[in-house]
Each structure stands twice: as structure tokens, then as C-alpha cells.
Amino acid sequence: MAQAILADRELSAGLAPTGRLRVAIAVGPAPSAVYAVRGEREGELRGVTVALAEALAAATGLPLEIVPFRSSGEIQATAASGSWDVSFLPVDEERRRHVDFGAAFHILQSSYLVPAGSPINRIDQADTPEVHIVGVRNSATLRASLRASPRASHVPVETPEDAVAMMHGGMADAIAMGREALSGLVSQIEGSRILPGSFLTTTTAVVLPKGRPAALAWVTALVEEAKAAGLVQRAFERVGLPGASVPPAAG
């Protein structure tokens, strides 16, 4: 597969025009299908998206360059900048205007995390004017929360760390994120809990900047192979998320 793609100049240029495979990775305080976390060594990143990036680079024979971002929203906002070639993002209709989606490798469910003593016990109870919901700017989850809880006040922040800081400061009644990401924040906010159910169910998928159909088809095939081989499930397990839902491989 690596030889075939490198021999096809049009495909190689569409996937990695600089000759390096530049993969945009969101880096946060807790691992999820989107967020990688920093490792013990300087510059080291660990996560499901890192494992997929390494698999892509190995299959192409191209040198891998990780391009770190603070959030999925920042990756979306830079899709047309030419600063990255491949990434991994939750799917929603707004995002389709900025990137082209390939194969899904995760089923995302988003909910709210509430602090100790919160009277909010169900998702629908967050939909009141008195509730301040914090979410990452330009994220699929924040957009879905705006639809699910239109009467609540929504406060966009740049990073998950900002959301945690706001809850610690008493300025957030709920944090809107995917369940895996929230599970990593519970230990950082004493007494907090994740509400049952979800207000968003979608998938997390490999993405390319718009207009690279041949390259998109190739990375889609690779992600399907990675799912079939168990690479994705093992990557979730390595970061402590064995219960993450991986969709079956196509075919």
C-alpha cells in the first residue's frame, strides 16, 4: 500500500503536499476519541488519534509530523490554512462546510458534567435561563448543546482546561463534552458527576481539508483496516477507555 501511494504522484500530493504527513491532533487534559494527552517525555503525546496517525504514516512511508491544537474547534477553524493534512473530528453538519469526512472510528455521545450539590439530575433540567453551560468553542458538542438547551446560557471556552477552571471558580453549572472526555474530568472536579443519557450521538471520523477525494478514499480504507485489525480498540484500552464504542469495520 505504501509503495502504491508514493508511486502515484497525484495521490501523494493530495495527501501530503509537503512530503511530510502533517496530522492535526487536539491535546487536552484527559484522553478521548478526539483528545490526546501529553506523555512523560518531552513532546510525547498518547492517544487514539496518535495511534491512527502513526498507522497512516507507517502505511505511506512518509515522515510523520504531529501538529498539536488545543481543541477540535481550532482544527476546524484552520482546515483551509494549509497547516495540516489529516485529522480526526466529531461529525456535524456545520463541520461539513470546512472538512471532508472519511471513515468513522468511534461513536460519540455527549452529556453534561455537573458539580457537587448540583440540582441538575437530568439533561432536560439544564434547559433553564439560570444554568450556565460551558463548552469548547466551535465543537460539535457545544452546537448540539445549544439546540438541546436553548434557554440556558452557553459560554464558549478555548480548551477543556478553561472549562474546568470555570467550574472550579463557580462560573459554570455544567460542562458539555463527550462522555469519554468528561470521564477524565470527573477526577479533576471533586464531587462532580456525569448526567445519564446524551443530547448528541454522532461519530468521530478521519477528516481531510476539502477537495482531496482520492486521498480521502485512501485514508478511509486505512481506518477501516485499523478497526478490523483491532488497532482502534486497543488504542482506547491503552488510554484507559476500554468501554469506548467503536463502529464495526465496513465490509
Side-chain angles (χ1 to χ4, degrees):
M1 185 179 292
Q3 292 178 346
I5 191 170
L6 293 176
D8 186 327
R9 292 184 179 180
E10 182 179 354
L11 183 55
S12 182
L15 179 62
T18 66
R20 299 178 64 83
L21 187 64
R22 300 168 302 165
V23 182
I25 301 287
V27 182
S32 71
V34 174
Y35 285 96
V37 295
R38 300 195 183 279
E40 296 179 358
R41 296 191 299 272
E42 180 70 24
E44 179 188 19
L45 295 177
R46 300 186 302 108
V48 179
T49 53
V50 175
L52 284 168
E54 291 170 347
L56 284 168
T60 62
L62 292 166
L64 174 62
E65 179 182 342
I66 298 293
V67 185
F69 287 87
R70 298 183 299 170
S71 70
S72 62
E74 285 191 352
I75 294 173
Q76 172 188 315
T78 58
S81 70
S83 61
W84 56 267
D85 305 311
V86 181
S87 192
F88 310 94
L89 297 173
V91 177
D92 77 347
E93 290 307 310
E94 168 62 22
R95 198 158 273 162
R96 290 186 190 279
R97 298 173 50 209
H98 303 274
V99 299
D100 287 332
F101 285 96
F105 64 93
H106 169 250
I107 298 173
L108 171 70
Q109 292 187 317
S110 295
S111 186
Y112 296 126
L113 180 147
V114 296
S118 173
I120 302 172
N121 296 304
R122 302 191 313 268
I123 286 174
D124 64 303
Q125 291 176 336
D127 187 23
T128 68
E130 297 79 19
V131 172
H132 293 77
I133 299 173
V134 176
V136 175
R137 188 183 307 276
N138 282 336
S139 65
T141 291
L142 183 59
R143 285 189 284 269
S145 181
L146 284 162
R147 296 190 297 269
S149 302
R151 295 187 296 168
S153 298
H154 283 78
V155 183
V157 294
E158 302 307 319
T159 69
E161 291 93 335
D162 294 336
V164 171
M166 289 194 69
M167 186 161 280
H168 279 150
M171 295 179 288
D173 300 303
I175 295 175
M177 292 185 71
R179 297 192 73 86
E180 286 87 5
L182 291 178
S183 69
L185 300 186
V186 167
S187 63
Q188 301 180 30
I189 305 171
E190 186 176 357
S192 63
R193 52 192 167 83
I194 303 170
L195 299 186
S198 63
F199 57 81
L200 170 66
T201 299
T202 185
T203 57
T204 309
V206 64
V207 303
L208 265 66
K210 295 192 74 67
R212 303 182 185 182
L216 182 67
W218 188 85
V219 297
T220 287
L222 185 80
V223 170
E224 295 292 359
E225 290 177 12
K227 289 191 296 182
L231 182 151
V232 176
Q233 186 61 53
R234 291 193 298 273
F236 275 113
E237 291 169 358
R238 284 197 297 272
V239 295
L241 297 170
S245 183
V246 178

